[in-house]
mmCIF file of all heavy atoms in Angstrom:
data_model
loop_
_atom_site.group_PDB
_atom_site.id
_atom_site.type_symbol
_atom_site.label_atom_id
_atom_site.label_comp_id
_atom_site.label_asym_id
_atom_site.label_seq_id
_atom_site.Cartn_x
_atom_site.Cartn_y
_atom_site.Cartn_z
ATOM 1 N N LYS A 1 158.341 -114.232 18.835
ATOM 2 C CA LYS A 1 157.598 -113.034 19.206
ATOM 3 C C LYS A 1 156.126 -113.234 18.872
ATOM 4 O O LYS A 1 155.788 -114.042 17.992
ATOM 5 C CB LYS A 1 158.116 -111.834 18.414
ATOM 6 C CG LYS A 1 159.616 -111.580 18.549
ATOM 7 C CD LYS A 1 160.055 -110.445 17.634
ATOM 8 C CE LYS A 1 161.559 -110.200 17.737
ATOM 9 N NZ LYS A 1 161.991 -109.090 16.840
ATOM 10 N N PRO A 2 155.244 -112.498 19.518
ATOM 11 C CA PRO A 2 153.811 -112.634 19.190
ATOM 12 C C PRO A 2 153.527 -112.403 17.702
ATOM 13 O O PRO A 2 152.630 -113.057 17.143
ATOM 14 C CB PRO A 2 153.155 -111.559 20.057
ATOM 15 C CG PRO A 2 154.067 -111.446 21.236
ATOM 16 C CD PRO A 2 155.448 -111.634 20.691
ATOM 17 N N GLU A 3 154.276 -111.540 17.059
ATOM 18 C CA GLU A 3 154.045 -111.282 15.639
ATOM 19 C C GLU A 3 154.477 -112.435 14.737
ATOM 20 O O GLU A 3 154.238 -112.397 13.527
ATOM 21 C CB GLU A 3 154.747 -109.991 15.196
ATOM 22 C CG GLU A 3 156.211 -109.895 15.586
ATOM 23 C CD GLU A 3 156.416 -109.107 16.877
ATOM 24 O OE1 GLU A 3 155.644 -109.304 17.842
ATOM 25 O OE2 GLU A 3 157.388 -108.313 16.911
ATOM 26 N N ASP A 4 155.097 -113.465 15.299
ATOM 27 C CA ASP A 4 155.409 -114.670 14.529
ATOM 28 C C ASP A 4 154.213 -115.616 14.451
ATOM 29 O O ASP A 4 154.273 -116.632 13.748
ATOM 30 C CB ASP A 4 156.591 -115.420 15.156
ATOM 31 C CG ASP A 4 157.884 -114.633 15.091
ATOM 32 O OD1 ASP A 4 158.165 -114.018 14.040
ATOM 33 O OD2 ASP A 4 158.622 -114.636 16.095
ATOM 34 N N THR A 5 153.158 -115.295 15.156
ATOM 35 C CA THR A 5 151.961 -116.126 15.143
ATOM 36 C C THR A 5 151.366 -116.187 13.749
ATOM 37 O O THR A 5 151.096 -115.159 13.125
ATOM 38 C CB THR A 5 150.915 -115.573 16.130
ATOM 39 O OG1 THR A 5 151.440 -115.667 17.460
ATOM 40 C CG2 THR A 5 149.618 -116.357 16.041
ATOM 41 N N ALA A 6 151.182 -117.397 13.251
ATOM 42 C CA ALA A 6 150.667 -117.600 11.895
ATOM 43 C C ALA A 6 150.553 -119.094 11.634
ATOM 44 O O ALA A 6 151.030 -119.918 12.420
ATOM 45 C CB ALA A 6 151.610 -116.973 10.858
ATOM 46 N N VAL A 7 149.951 -119.427 10.499
ATOM 47 C CA VAL A 7 150.031 -120.782 9.975
ATOM 48 C C VAL A 7 151.284 -120.841 9.096
ATOM 49 O O VAL A 7 151.470 -119.996 8.220
ATOM 50 C CB VAL A 7 148.788 -121.163 9.162
ATOM 51 C CG1 VAL A 7 148.940 -122.568 8.587
ATOM 52 C CG2 VAL A 7 147.536 -121.077 10.037
ATOM 53 N N TYR A 8 152.118 -121.814 9.367
ATOM 54 C CA TYR A 8 153.372 -121.971 8.633
ATOM 55 C C TYR A 8 153.244 -123.114 7.627
ATOM 56 O O TYR A 8 152.794 -124.208 7.967
ATOM 57 C CB TYR A 8 154.519 -122.251 9.602
ATOM 58 C CG TYR A 8 154.982 -121.012 10.325
ATOM 59 C CD1 TYR A 8 154.180 -120.411 11.295
ATOM 60 C CD2 TYR A 8 156.209 -120.417 10.039
ATOM 61 C CE1 TYR A 8 154.588 -119.250 11.948
ATOM 62 C CE2 TYR A 8 156.631 -119.264 10.684
ATOM 63 C CZ TYR A 8 155.818 -118.686 11.636
ATOM 64 O OH TYR A 8 156.214 -117.542 12.282
ATOM 65 N N TYR A 9 153.660 -122.827 6.403
ATOM 66 C CA TYR A 9 153.592 -123.787 5.319
ATOM 67 C C TYR A 9 154.984 -124.056 4.764
ATOM 68 O O TYR A 9 155.793 -123.136 4.658
ATOM 69 C CB TYR A 9 152.740 -123.244 4.172
ATOM 70 C CG TYR A 9 151.328 -122.900 4.520
ATOM 71 C CD1 TYR A 9 150.985 -121.640 5.009
ATOM 72 C CD2 TYR A 9 150.304 -123.829 4.333
ATOM 73 C CE1 TYR A 9 149.678 -121.315 5.312
ATOM 74 C CE2 TYR A 9 148.988 -123.517 4.637
ATOM 75 C CZ TYR A 9 148.684 -122.267 5.122
ATOM 76 O OH TYR A 9 147.383 -121.945 5.427
ATOM 77 N N CYS A 10 155.230 -125.298 4.380
ATOM 78 C CA CYS A 10 156.432 -125.553 3.589
ATOM 79 C C CYS A 10 156.011 -125.809 2.142
ATOM 80 O O CYS A 10 154.884 -126.220 1.870
ATOM 81 C CB CYS A 10 157.264 -126.699 4.139
ATOM 82 S SG CYS A 10 156.551 -128.338 3.981
ATOM 83 N N ALA A 11 156.926 -125.514 1.254
ATOM 84 C CA ALA A 11 156.667 -125.649 -0.172
ATOM 85 C C ALA A 11 157.935 -126.123 -0.865
ATOM 86 O O ALA A 11 159.043 -125.907 -0.365
ATOM 87 C CB ALA A 11 156.202 -124.324 -0.757
ATOM 88 N N ALA A 12 157.761 -126.750 -2.009
ATOM 89 C CA ALA A 12 158.907 -127.317 -2.730
ATOM 90 C C ALA A 12 158.749 -127.112 -4.223
ATOM 91 O O ALA A 12 157.631 -127.061 -4.743
ATOM 92 C CB ALA A 12 159.031 -128.813 -2.420
ATOM 93 N N ASP A 13 159.873 -127.023 -4.891
ATOM 94 C CA ASP A 13 159.870 -126.982 -6.350
ATOM 95 C C ASP A 13 161.274 -127.281 -6.850
ATOM 96 O O ASP A 13 162.263 -126.984 -6.161
ATOM 97 C CB ASP A 13 159.390 -125.621 -6.880
ATOM 98 C CG ASP A 13 158.681 -125.740 -8.213
ATOM 99 O OD1 ASP A 13 159.372 -126.046 -9.200
ATOM 100 O OD2 ASP A 13 157.450 -125.548 -8.256
ATOM 101 N N ARG A 14 161.353 -127.831 -8.054
ATOM 102 C CA ARG A 14 162.668 -128.108 -8.634
ATOM 103 C C ARG A 14 163.206 -126.926 -9.431
ATOM 104 O O ARG A 14 164.399 -126.856 -9.715
ATOM 105 C CB ARG A 14 162.597 -129.346 -9.531
ATOM 106 C CG ARG A 14 162.257 -130.606 -8.765
ATOM 107 C CD ARG A 14 162.376 -131.848 -9.622
ATOM 108 N NE ARG A 14 163.746 -132.090 -10.077
ATOM 109 C CZ ARG A 14 164.159 -133.234 -10.580
ATOM 110 N NH1 ARG A 14 163.323 -134.231 -10.704
ATOM 111 N NH2 ARG A 14 165.412 -133.380 -10.986
ATOM 112 N N HIS A 15 162.311 -126.013 -9.783
ATOM 113 C CA HIS A 15 162.715 -124.868 -10.589
ATOM 114 C C HIS A 15 162.331 -123.598 -9.857
ATOM 115 O O HIS A 15 161.142 -123.268 -9.762
ATOM 116 C CB HIS A 15 162.028 -124.934 -11.962
ATOM 117 C CG HIS A 15 162.418 -123.833 -12.886
ATOM 118 N ND1 HIS A 15 163.718 -123.600 -13.283
ATOM 119 C CD2 HIS A 15 161.670 -122.879 -13.498
ATOM 120 C CE1 HIS A 15 163.756 -122.573 -14.093
ATOM 121 N NE2 HIS A 15 162.535 -122.112 -14.241
ATOM 122 N N THR A 16 163.319 -122.893 -9.337
ATOM 123 C CA THR A 16 163.067 -121.716 -8.498
ATOM 124 C C THR A 16 163.924 -120.546 -8.968
ATOM 125 O O THR A 16 164.916 -120.181 -8.320
ATOM 126 C CB THR A 16 163.351 -122.031 -7.023
ATOM 127 O OG1 THR A 16 164.671 -122.598 -6.920
ATOM 128 C CG2 THR A 16 162.331 -123.012 -6.458
ATOM 129 N N PRO A 17 163.529 -119.932 -10.071
ATOM 130 C CA PRO A 17 164.352 -118.853 -10.624
ATOM 131 C C PRO A 17 164.500 -117.650 -9.710
ATOM 132 O O PRO A 17 165.556 -117.008 -9.684
ATOM 133 C CB PRO A 17 163.638 -118.490 -11.928
ATOM 134 C CG PRO A 17 162.249 -118.994 -11.756
ATOM 135 C CD PRO A 17 162.357 -120.213 -10.910
ATOM 136 N N LEU A 18 163.473 -117.334 -8.944
ATOM 137 C CA LEU A 18 163.562 -116.161 -8.068
ATOM 138 C C LEU A 18 164.550 -116.397 -6.935
ATOM 139 O O LEU A 18 165.219 -115.461 -6.489
ATOM 140 C CB LEU A 18 162.183 -115.811 -7.515
ATOM 141 C CG LEU A 18 161.166 -115.358 -8.568
ATOM 142 C CD1 LEU A 18 159.811 -115.130 -7.925
ATOM 143 C CD2 LEU A 18 161.642 -114.096 -9.272
ATOM 144 N N LEU A 19 164.648 -117.637 -6.481
ATOM 145 C CA LEU A 19 165.591 -117.940 -5.400
ATOM 146 C C LEU A 19 167.027 -117.692 -5.848
ATOM 147 O O LEU A 19 167.872 -117.326 -5.037
ATOM 148 C CB LEU A 19 165.403 -119.382 -4.934
ATOM 149 C CG LEU A 19 166.247 -119.835 -3.745
ATOM 150 C CD1 LEU A 19 166.049 -118.903 -2.546
ATOM 151 C CD2 LEU A 19 165.917 -121.277 -3.371
ATOM 152 N N GLN A 20 167.269 -117.861 -7.132
ATOM 153 C CA GLN A 20 168.608 -117.582 -7.652
ATOM 154 C C GLN A 20 168.964 -116.108 -7.494
ATOM 155 O O GLN A 20 170.142 -115.755 -7.475
ATOM 156 C CB GLN A 20 168.702 -118.001 -9.111
ATOM 157 C CG GLN A 20 168.506 -119.497 -9.327
ATOM 158 C CD GLN A 20 168.555 -119.871 -10.786
ATOM 159 O OE1 GLN A 20 169.339 -119.318 -11.558
ATOM 160 N NE2 GLN A 20 167.731 -120.817 -11.183
ATOM 161 N N PHE A 21 167.929 -115.255 -7.405
ATOM 162 C CA PHE A 21 168.141 -113.829 -7.149
ATOM 163 C C PHE A 21 167.916 -113.502 -5.674
ATOM 164 O O PHE A 21 167.679 -112.349 -5.323
ATOM 165 C CB PHE A 21 167.210 -113.003 -8.042
ATOM 166 C CG PHE A 21 167.546 -113.099 -9.502
ATOM 167 C CD1 PHE A 21 166.902 -114.025 -10.311
ATOM 168 C CD2 PHE A 21 168.507 -112.286 -10.063
ATOM 169 C CE1 PHE A 21 167.213 -114.129 -11.658
ATOM 170 C CE2 PHE A 21 168.826 -112.378 -11.405
ATOM 171 C CZ PHE A 21 168.179 -113.308 -12.200
ATOM 172 N N ARG A 22 167.977 -114.531 -4.838
ATOM 173 C CA ARG A 22 167.861 -114.392 -3.387
ATOM 174 C C ARG A 22 166.507 -113.804 -2.984
ATOM 175 O O ARG A 22 166.410 -112.962 -2.095
ATOM 176 C CB ARG A 22 169.020 -113.571 -2.820
ATOM 177 C CG ARG A 22 170.385 -114.193 -3.084
ATOM 178 C CD ARG A 22 171.485 -113.575 -2.250
ATOM 179 N NE ARG A 22 171.259 -113.794 -0.832
ATOM 180 C CZ ARG A 22 171.526 -114.914 -0.193
ATOM 181 N NH1 ARG A 22 172.030 -115.943 -0.844
ATOM 182 N NH2 ARG A 22 171.311 -115.008 1.107
ATOM 183 N N LEU A 23 165.473 -114.265 -3.677
ATOM 184 C CA LEU A 23 164.101 -113.927 -3.320
ATOM 185 C C LEU A 23 163.383 -115.189 -2.874
ATOM 186 O O LEU A 23 163.427 -116.198 -3.570
ATOM 187 C CB LEU A 23 163.372 -113.304 -4.505
ATOM 188 C CG LEU A 23 163.902 -111.956 -4.988
ATOM 189 C CD1 LEU A 23 163.186 -111.540 -6.266
ATOM 190 C CD2 LEU A 23 163.733 -110.889 -3.915
ATOM 191 N N CYS A 24 162.738 -115.111 -1.728
ATOM 192 C CA CYS A 24 161.974 -116.243 -1.193
ATOM 193 C C CYS A 24 160.504 -115.926 -1.463
ATOM 194 O O CYS A 24 159.855 -115.250 -0.665
ATOM 195 C CB CYS A 24 162.270 -116.392 0.304
ATOM 196 S SG CYS A 24 161.521 -117.813 1.085
ATOM 197 N N SER A 25 160.006 -116.392 -2.608
ATOM 198 C CA SER A 25 158.692 -115.967 -3.086
ATOM 199 C C SER A 25 157.779 -117.153 -3.308
ATOM 200 O O SER A 25 158.205 -118.210 -3.777
ATOM 201 C CB SER A 25 158.853 -115.203 -4.399
ATOM 202 O OG SER A 25 157.597 -114.973 -5.012
ATOM 203 N N THR A 26 156.494 -116.962 -2.988
ATOM 204 C CA THR A 26 155.513 -118.018 -3.251
ATOM 205 C C THR A 26 155.445 -118.359 -4.733
ATOM 206 O O THR A 26 155.074 -119.483 -5.090
ATOM 207 C CB THR A 26 154.120 -117.590 -2.773
ATOM 208 O OG1 THR A 26 153.748 -116.373 -3.442
ATOM 209 C CG2 THR A 26 154.084 -117.362 -1.275
ATOM 210 N N ARG A 27 155.807 -117.428 -5.590
ATOM 211 C CA ARG A 27 155.695 -117.657 -7.034
ATOM 212 C C ARG A 27 156.647 -118.730 -7.536
ATOM 213 O O ARG A 27 156.462 -119.258 -8.632
ATOM 214 C CB ARG A 27 155.942 -116.346 -7.775
ATOM 215 C CG ARG A 27 154.837 -115.315 -7.598
ATOM 216 C CD ARG A 27 155.133 -114.042 -8.348
ATOM 217 N NE ARG A 27 156.239 -113.295 -7.757
ATOM 218 C CZ ARG A 27 156.829 -112.246 -8.331
ATOM 219 N NH1 ARG A 27 156.433 -111.846 -9.520
ATOM 220 N NH2 ARG A 27 157.811 -111.621 -7.709
ATOM 221 N N ASP A 28 157.650 -119.058 -6.755
ATOM 222 C CA ASP A 28 158.613 -120.079 -7.163
ATOM 223 C C ASP A 28 158.142 -121.502 -6.895
ATOM 224 O O ASP A 28 158.707 -122.443 -7.416
ATOM 225 C CB ASP A 28 159.937 -119.880 -6.407
ATOM 226 C CG ASP A 28 161.025 -119.226 -7.266
ATOM 227 O OD1 ASP A 28 160.781 -118.978 -8.466
ATOM 228 O OD2 ASP A 28 162.116 -118.985 -6.724
ATOM 229 N N PHE A 29 157.132 -121.668 -6.050
ATOM 230 C CA PHE A 29 156.836 -122.983 -5.489
ATOM 231 C C PHE A 29 155.478 -123.515 -5.897
ATOM 232 O O PHE A 29 154.465 -122.825 -5.768
ATOM 233 C CB PHE A 29 156.952 -122.930 -3.959
ATOM 234 C CG PHE A 29 158.358 -122.649 -3.500
ATOM 235 C CD1 PHE A 29 158.780 -121.358 -3.275
ATOM 236 C CD2 PHE A 29 159.248 -123.690 -3.314
ATOM 237 C CE1 PHE A 29 160.088 -121.102 -2.871
ATOM 238 C CE2 PHE A 29 160.550 -123.443 -2.901
ATOM 239 C CZ PHE A 29 160.966 -122.141 -2.683
ATOM 240 N N GLY A 30 155.467 -124.767 -6.354
ATOM 241 C CA GLY A 30 154.241 -125.359 -6.853
ATOM 242 C C GLY A 30 153.619 -126.418 -5.964
ATOM 243 O O GLY A 30 152.423 -126.708 -6.085
ATOM 244 N N SER A 31 154.397 -126.987 -5.055
ATOM 245 C CA SER A 31 153.870 -128.024 -4.166
ATOM 246 C C SER A 31 153.862 -127.497 -2.733
ATOM 247 O O SER A 31 154.886 -127.006 -2.258
ATOM 248 C CB SER A 31 154.731 -129.281 -4.238
ATOM 249 O OG SER A 31 154.689 -129.840 -5.534
ATOM 250 N N TRP A 32 152.730 -127.643 -2.068
ATOM 251 C CA TRP A 32 152.530 -127.055 -0.749
ATOM 252 C C TRP A 32 151.989 -128.070 0.233
ATOM 253 O O TRP A 32 151.208 -128.960 -0.131
ATOM 254 C CB TRP A 32 151.538 -125.885 -0.840
ATOM 255 C CG TRP A 32 152.091 -124.730 -1.579
ATOM 256 C CD1 TRP A 32 152.149 -124.569 -2.937
ATOM 257 C CD2 TRP A 32 152.682 -123.554 -1.012
ATOM 258 N NE1 TRP A 32 152.745 -123.370 -3.244
ATOM 259 C CE2 TRP A 32 153.086 -122.728 -2.079
ATOM 260 C CE3 TRP A 32 152.932 -123.133 0.296
ATOM 261 C CZ2 TRP A 32 153.710 -121.492 -1.886
ATOM 262 C CZ3 TRP A 32 153.545 -121.911 0.488
ATOM 263 C CH2 TRP A 32 153.931 -121.102 -0.586
ATOM 264 N N GLY A 33 152.400 -127.909 1.500
ATOM 265 C CA GLY A 33 151.812 -128.688 2.559
ATOM 266 C C GLY A 33 150.540 -128.035 3.072
ATOM 267 O O GLY A 33 150.127 -126.977 2.575
ATOM 268 N N GLN A 34 149.931 -128.650 4.075
ATOM 269 C CA GLN A 34 148.656 -128.169 4.612
ATOM 270 C C GLN A 34 148.829 -127.102 5.691
ATOM 271 O O GLN A 34 147.865 -126.423 6.046
ATOM 272 C CB GLN A 34 147.852 -129.336 5.178
ATOM 273 C CG GLN A 34 147.414 -130.336 4.125
ATOM 274 C CD GLN A 34 146.525 -129.691 3.071
ATOM 275 O OE1 GLN A 34 145.522 -129.066 3.371
ATOM 276 N NE2 GLN A 34 146.929 -129.814 1.808
ATOM 277 N N GLY A 35 150.035 -126.970 6.213
ATOM 278 C CA GLY A 35 150.299 -125.935 7.206
ATOM 279 C C GLY A 35 150.240 -126.440 8.634
ATOM 280 O O GLY A 35 149.579 -127.437 8.939
ATOM 281 N N THR A 36 150.945 -125.734 9.500
ATOM 282 C CA THR A 36 150.925 -126.019 10.930
ATOM 283 C C THR A 36 150.846 -124.691 11.680
ATOM 284 O O THR A 36 151.527 -123.725 11.332
ATOM 285 C CB THR A 36 152.169 -126.835 11.357
ATOM 286 O OG1 THR A 36 152.073 -127.183 12.739
ATOM 287 C CG2 THR A 36 153.466 -126.075 11.135
ATOM 288 N N GLN A 37 149.993 -124.653 12.688
ATOM 289 C CA GLN A 37 149.752 -123.406 13.414
ATOM 290 C C GLN A 37 150.853 -123.159 14.438
ATOM 291 O O GLN A 37 151.203 -124.048 15.213
ATOM 292 C CB GLN A 37 148.404 -123.474 14.134
ATOM 293 C CG GLN A 37 148.087 -122.266 15.006
ATOM 294 C CD GLN A 37 147.795 -121.026 14.194
ATOM 295 O OE1 GLN A 37 147.043 -121.057 13.213
ATOM 296 N NE2 GLN A 37 148.384 -119.882 14.592
ATOM 297 N N VAL A 38 151.363 -121.941 14.450
ATOM 298 C CA VAL A 38 152.296 -121.487 15.477
ATOM 299 C C VAL A 38 151.666 -120.297 16.180
ATOM 300 O O VAL A 38 151.297 -119.316 15.532
ATOM 301 C CB VAL A 38 153.654 -121.093 14.865
ATOM 302 C CG1 VAL A 38 154.541 -120.419 15.917
ATOM 303 C CG2 VAL A 38 154.348 -122.308 14.271
ATOM 304 N N THR A 39 151.530 -120.402 17.486
ATOM 305 C CA THR A 39 150.952 -119.322 18.277
ATOM 306 C C THR A 39 151.942 -118.927 19.364
ATOM 307 O O THR A 39 152.377 -119.775 20.146
ATOM 308 C CB THR A 39 149.627 -119.749 18.915
ATOM 309 O OG1 THR A 39 148.711 -120.149 17.888
ATOM 310 C CG2 THR A 39 149.009 -118.598 19.706
ATOM 311 N N VAL A 40 152.296 -117.660 19.378
ATOM 312 C CA VAL A 40 153.227 -117.138 20.375
ATOM 313 C C VAL A 40 152.449 -116.199 21.283
ATOM 314 O O VAL A 40 152.031 -115.117 20.871
ATOM 315 C CB VAL A 40 154.414 -116.401 19.717
ATOM 316 C CG1 VAL A 40 155.419 -115.973 20.787
ATOM 317 C CG2 VAL A 40 155.065 -117.284 18.664
ATOM 318 N N SER A 41 152.265 -116.637 22.503
ATOM 319 C CA SER A 41 151.432 -115.872 23.418
ATOM 320 C C SER A 41 151.764 -116.249 24.855
ATOM 321 O O SER A 41 152.114 -117.395 25.140
ATOM 322 C CB SER A 41 149.953 -116.145 23.139
ATOM 323 O OG SER A 41 149.135 -115.498 24.103
ATOM 324 N N SER A 42 151.627 -115.272 25.735
ATOM 325 C CA SER A 42 151.819 -115.555 27.151
ATOM 326 C C SER A 42 150.488 -115.870 27.823
ATOM 327 O O SER A 42 150.445 -116.149 29.023
ATOM 328 C CB SER A 42 152.494 -114.366 27.841
ATOM 329 O OG SER A 42 151.752 -113.180 27.621
#
């Protein structure tokens, strides 16, 4: 959808306490990629 338009980043960490509570939070992740642009438009 057009509202999916954004820069998408992946992140990694070995210790993700919030994920154990089924939260997908930036606070869990310490290593980040540079991002890739996704644009949804007609």
Side-chain angles (χ1 to χ4, degrees):
K1 305 175 181 180
E3 50 264 43
D4 295 318
T5 296
V7 178
Y8 283 70
Y9 301 88
C10 70
D13 211 291
R14 296 188 64 165
H15 182 59
T16 52
L18 295 176
L19 184 55
Q20 297 178 38
F21 293 94
R22 300 194 63 79
L23 295 173
C24 185
S25 170
T26 58
R27 290 180 290 170
D28 257 357
F29 295 92
S31 296
W32 292 81
Q34 294 300 306
T36 184
Q37 176 71 46
V38 171
T39 302
V40 185
S41 175
S42 55

